[in-house]
Amino acid sequence: MKFSWRSTATYVSVKQFLFAQGISHNLWTRQRHLGGKITVNQQTTQPDHAVAIGDVVTLSLPNEPSDGNIAVDEEPIDVLMADENWLVVNKNAGVNAVPGPSDQQTTMVNRIKGWLVANNADNLVPHLITRLDRDTSGIMLVARNGIVQGMIAPQVDQHTMRKTYLALVEGRFENDHGVIDSPIGRVDGQVARAITSNGQSAITEYKVLEQFENIALVELNLKTGRTHQIRVQMQSIGHPLLGDRLYGGSLRLMQRQALHAWQLSFTDPVTQQRQTYTAPLPEDMQAVVNHLRDSKPVE
């Protein structure tokens, strides 16, 4: 894999220039161990070489070897966008994001690897940038090489990606818009998380899109990225997600948590262009919405 940049300023070294382009310290170290090659104006150079305005700096790395421990699953995936650096996929509910003790064969990583193999990709290592719980559907962003994975990491760490979810929750809202700012922490010996005074900062903005008799369709924007953040915080204000067994949601209309990663916006660190992708509401959630609309009294 090869990336090139044209310098618009002067830098004291190639190393400083590459850091300014988003190459992380970790990736810098890795590329040296992996036999990476750096050129300036097509001439091999050293890390301390100065960079002038107009110079073209190129970083080349060997293709990433396939991990033989990651099985290939040929089950089709819903690809919303694919280019040489990124995959944007729409995950079905009921599929794990990454291999674990309960599933080593049919996760999104296995299926994305299957897609890469079928499309004769040079790199067969899927780098998941965003992940979803097993029973949450919707958009996931995947980096197709380690360079762009490192370049987009600051957006993940600084929460500058905009991740918007749709959920069906119980109850009626007094206010159509609000912000939940409450720390989330672990509960000893349990999978569930909880609001705790010593937990990690967690902020979720919500907006009611449709209010039915005792259920609402809400839009949620994450300002942080904690485990089970939406599920914990909505339950904490008296609005658990439909179908959410872990946090006390009703199972009458949904058998899995009614949560969908609807939209994702990020800045492509290679092109510097803002990208926005949307995954339509899945059939099970749409069926509940349609049912609620049909049952809603005429005002």
Side-chain angles (χ1 to χ4, degrees):
M1 48 186 153
K2 181 184 297 185
F3 286 81
S4 295
W5 301 267
R6 184 178 296 277
S7 178
T8 58
T10 58
Y11 293 84
V12 297
S13 68
V14 167
K15 183 177 181 179
Q16 183 194 58
F17 173 83
L18 290 175
F19 285 170
Q21 308 317 304
I23 300 300
S24 66
H25 289 268
N26 180 54
L27 183 57
W28 172 265
T29 302
R30 266 178 45 214
Q31 66 86 21
R32 298 190 73 181
H33 288 303
L34 293 173
K37 179 181 178 183
I38 301 171
T39 64
V40 176
N41 302 325
Q42 300 182 347
Q43 300 297 314
T44 302
T45 189
Q46 297 301 313
D48 58 357
H49 181 88
V51 177
I53 294 174
D55 283 350
V56 175
V57 180
T58 300
L59 172 63
S60 301
L61 280 175
N63 292 327
E64 297 173 271
S66 173
D67 184 346
N69 294 317
I70 302 298
V72 171
D73 185 353
E74 297 179 353
E75 184 71 21
I77 57 174
D78 183 6
V79 177
L80 302 177
M81 188 281 292
D83 64 17
E84 61 185 351
N85 296 313
W86 309 103
L87 279 176
V88 180
V89 300
N90 182 17
K91 184 182 89 69
N92 293 327
V95 182
N96 288 313
V98 299
S102 64
D103 186 359
Q104 295 282 330
Q105 305 288 327
T106 65
T107 71
M108 288 303 294
V109 165
N110 302 115
R111 294 178 182 185
I112 293 166
K113 184 174 181 180
W115 185 93
L116 293 170
V117 170
N119 284 271
N120 300 311
D122 292 327
N123 293 309
L124 300 178
V125 181
H127 301 280
L128 301 192
I129 305 303
T130 61
R131 299 185 183 186
L132 298 174
D133 291 343
R134 172 185 172 83
D135 288 328
T136 299
S137 57
I139 286 183
M140 292 176 59
L141 176 63
V142 183
R144 296 183 62 173
N145 60 71
I147 292 180
V148 294
Q149 178 196 25
M151 291 172 68
I152 206 168
Q155 294 183 54
V156 177
D157 297 338
Q158 298 163 21
H159 307 293
T160 56
M161 287 183 176
R162 183 176 176 85
K163 294 185 282 188
T164 305
Y165 291 74
L166 297 178
L168 287 164
V169 303
E170 294 185 47
R172 297 187 66 86
F173 286 78
E174 294 183 5
N175 300 306
D176 288 344
H177 177 264
V179 175
I180 309 169
D181 185 350
S182 51
I184 294 175
R186 291 179 175 273
V187 179
D188 289 343
Q190 298 184 30
V191 174
R193 301 300 201 266
I195 304 300
T196 60
S197 59
N198 61 347
Q200 293 180 300
S201 172
I203 302 172
T204 303
E205 179 184 15
Y206 70 83
K207 180 169 67 174
V208 178
L209 300 180
E210 289 190 68
Q211 178 68 66
F212 304 103
E213 181 63 27
N214 198 41
I215 293 172
L217 174 65
V218 296
E219 176 185 304
L220 303 125
N221 285 296
L222 295 182
K223 309 300 182 182
T224 53
R226 309 304 177 200
T227 299
H228 296 181
Q229 178 171 319
I230 288 173
R231 300 165 64 189
V232 174
Q233 290 192 322
M234 294 308 291
Q235 187 270 343
S236 75
I237 63 170
H239 298 287
L241 274 62
L242 298 189
D244 194 344
R245 290 175 171 82
L246 190 59
Y247 295 102
S250 170
L251 303 179
R252 184 171 64 87
L253 296 175
M254 289 286 296
Q255 296 301 305
R256 58 101 174 177
Q257 67 249 19
L259 185 60
H260 178 66
W262 174 61
Q263 193 171 81
L264 177 68
S265 295
F266 64 97
T267 300
D268 187 329
V270 179
T271 65
Q272 296 303 312
Q273 298 297 308
R274 192 70 178 173
Q275 306 289 331
T276 300
Y277 299 96
T278 302
L281 206 62
E283 290 182 1
D284 58 351
M285 288 181 65
Q286 188 63 59
V288 173
V289 171
N290 292 343
H291 168 74
L292 295 169
R293 286 172 179 165
D294 291 340
S295 305
K296 188 175 182 180
V298 178
E299 298 179 355

